[in-house]
Amino acid sequence: MKKSVMYGGGSIGRGFLGQLFHMSGYSTCFIDVDKKLVDELSSKHEYEIKIALPTGYESQTIKNVTAVNGLDSEEVAEVISQCDIMATAVGVNILPRIAKAIAMGLDLRFEMNNPPLDIIVCENMSDGGNHLKGLVLEHAVHKDFIETSIGFVSASVGRMVPVSESADIIVESYNELPIDRDALKTDVSRLMNFIPVSPFAIEKYKKYFMHNMSHAIVAYMGYSKGYEFLWQAMQDREILDTAKKALGESIEAISKYFGVDKKPLESYADDLLGRYTNKYLGDTVLRVGRDPIRKLGKDDRLSGASLFCLKNGVEPEYIIYGIAYALCFDPSDDVSASILQEYISENGITSAIRNYTGIDESSELLSDIVKIYSLIKQR
């Protein structure tokens, strides 16, 4: 049986990559620092996921699994040296902490004369593959081997996996994983639902400026209107209409920028809106909207999409509604939201827009966002 290594046993690791490796006929070794999880996977050699379908849940058993403790660098290096495919899903801030262990495993792989390896980097960042590669090279001895034989392959994770209050991992049925074809060093055709794409840049724009952007609009508008779940917000005609028109703006800009047909992008948008209505996924507006400061960043889903549209001759008339509603997001248990609201209170909304979105007086967008924000506050 082919061997896969999954660095990170969280919701994406177990709820997405673990499933794809299992479907492809691979055994999977999870690397994680959660001792309870490592012990459970090592003893049971399987776990369950619940797939949220439009009509209810379907359980799937993921078999042939084991785990090692991420704090045991020698054991981590050993499994990396022997595997046939590897992936990471640990979070951007954790990547520097695991880079040395990965480097040890790749150096050992070279010394054992084992074949090339692809590492699928499933992190929520642009160009995660090259980012991880740079971190690993800082620690590696056999740098030439890594340059020529190890693929650090960016991936665009589109599957929605909400936080579950139970031990179950609840996932949606969508399970395709676009990956950067040009970064591959091996043949991944055996891996089910791994979709090599070239140029991969278009997938990043789709993920950030279509999926993440529309997801955020539904969440922030839904929160303002008092909805708890995303599916409830999607039943609101104003929210649905705003998200749909915002997607249309991004589609127009992406089509112009890459010179591609709009029809596949429109199909992708329709699929997204349908997925947001999944009641059994149980995704909340609070989860999707959390950390508004990060999501308002000038290169992120809302401000980034707006500025991208402008650069491509498209007026982001509806995307900026997401910015205005994000500036109103104020749950008390969200630290980022509390910092944002305190700044607005002390410095005013115009200063907040400049400070957090990168949109300044030279942009025609600033005054429009202020107007929308004021109207929301008057309701």
Side-chain angles (χ1 to χ4, degrees):
M1 179 174 282
K2 292 278 188 177
K3 299 176 182 177
S4 68
V5 165
M6 182 66 239
Y7 218 130
S11 56
I12 296 299
R14 279 180 294 147
F16 189 16
L17 275 298
Q19 181 197 24
L20 293 185
F21 289 141
H22 169 73
M23 290 167 56
S24 304
Y26 286 65
S27 65
T28 300
C29 179
F30 288 90
I31 303 173
D32 205 280
V33 295
D34 184 334
K35 186 177 184 302
K36 181 180 178 182
L37 173 65
V38 169
D39 290 344
E40 183 175 341
L41 293 176
S42 297
S43 62
K44 293 184 177 179
H45 300 294
E46 64 180 38
Y47 64 92
E48 299 282 329
I49 62 172
K50 292 176 69 174
I51 302 169
L53 303 174
T55 55
Y57 298 109
E58 177 182 282
S59 293
Q60 182 177 8
T61 302
I62 310 303
K63 298 183 177 181
N64 300 310
V65 304
T66 188
V68 301
N69 194 311
L71 298 177
D72 187 338
S73 57
E74 290 187 2
E75 191 171 7
V76 169
E78 177 67 25
V79 296
I80 291 174
S81 72
Q82 298 286 347
C83 69
D84 299 289
I85 188 71
M86 177 178 162
T88 75
V90 297
V92 174
N93 295 333
I94 306 299
L95 288 178
R97 302 184 198 177
I98 69 173
K100 184 176 181 179
I102 293 175
M104 288 174 59
L106 298 179
D107 283 335
L108 182 58
R109 192 178 187 91
F110 171 81
E111 292 161 9
M112 298 177 69
N113 198 31
N114 282 338
L117 175 71
D118 281 315
I119 303 174
I120 313 299
V121 184
C122 302
E123 309 296 345
N124 192 19
M125 67 180 302
S126 177
D127 206 8
N130 277 325
H131 179 71
L132 179 58
K133 179 179 179 180
L135 294 172
V136 170
L137 283 171
E138 291 179 11
H139 301 281
V141 174
H142 302 291
K143 299 183 191 298
D144 289 344
F145 170 70
I146 290 175
E147 290 282 6
T148 60
S149 300
I150 307 300
F152 291 84
V153 185
S154 295
S156 179
V157 178
R159 169 173 266 189
M160 293 181 285
V161 185
V163 176
S164 175
E165 294 182 358
S166 69
D168 294 321
I169 297 180
I170 299 174
V171 303
E172 63 170 339
S173 58
Y174 178 86
N175 65 357
E176 293 183 355
L177 183 66
I179 59 175
D180 184 359
R181 179 193 297 275
D182 298 327
L184 291 169
K185 301 292 187 181
T186 70
D187 179 7
V188 298
S189 58
R190 176 173 173 173
L191 293 164
M192 291 185 63
N193 293 12
F194 281 65
I195 315 296
V197 176
S198 179
F200 186 67
I202 193 169
E203 293 300 325
K204 294 189 290 187
Y205 282 84
K206 286 167 60 180
K207 176 66 165 66
Y208 278 93
F209 296 163
M210 291 185 67
H211 187 169
N212 290 358
M213 178 275 294
S214 59
H215 214 199
I217 286 178
V218 175
Y220 290 130
M221 291 186 72
Y223 173 81
S224 183
K225 291 192 168 197
Y227 298 115
E228 180 182 2
F229 295 102
L230 215 68
W231 66 265
Q232 293 172 326
M234 285 295 292
Q235 293 182 338
D236 186 301
R237 177 53 58 181
E238 181 187 13
I239 295 176
L240 174 59
D241 187 58
T242 303
K244 190 169 186 177
K245 289 179 177 176
L247 280 165
E249 293 165 354
S250 281
I251 288 169
E252 185 70 26
I254 292 172
S255 175
K256 285 185 175 182
Y257 184 73
F258 287 98
V260 297
D261 185 8
K262 288 190 286 188
K263 288 184 179 179
L265 297 173
E266 290 168 347
S267 296
Y268 178 67
D270 289 341
D271 181 62
L272 284 173
L273 294 174
R275 287 159 59 193
Y276 298 161
T277 66
N278 190 333
K279 180 184 296 188
Y280 292 96
L281 195 57
D283 218 353
T284 66
V285 299
L286 290 179
R287 186 199 77 83
V288 178
R290 69 186 176 191
D291 194 2
I293 289 177
R294 175 172 63 86
K295 292 171 182 175
L296 281 166
K298 68 175 183 177
D299 297 320
D300 214 292
R301 61 209 70 196
L302 295 168
S303 306
S306 299
L307 294 170
F308 176 72
C309 283
L310 276 186
K311 288 178 182 177
N312 288 278
V314 178
E315 182 69 30
E317 180 182 351
Y318 290 91
I319 296 174
I320 62 173
Y321 272 83
I323 296 175
Y325 275 96
L327 290 162
C328 299
F329 188 69
D330 62 353
S332 59
D333 61 347
D334 187 315
V335 174
S336 173
S338 297
I339 293 171
L340 176 61
Q341 294 309 312
E342 183 178 354
Y343 187 95
I344 293 172
S345 177
E346 294 178 356
N347 301 280
I349 188 61
T350 300
S351 178
I353 294 169
R354 289 198 305 262
N355 188 56
Y356 290 110
T357 71
I359 297 170
D360 57 29
E361 286 85 349
S362 64
S363 171
E364 59 198 76
L365 298 180
L366 192 145
S367 60
D368 291 337
I369 296 168
V370 171
K371 290 176 185 177
I372 297 169
Y373 175 87
S374 300
L375 289 173
I376 297 169
K377 286 297 188 179
Q378 291 170 13
R379 290 182 177 178

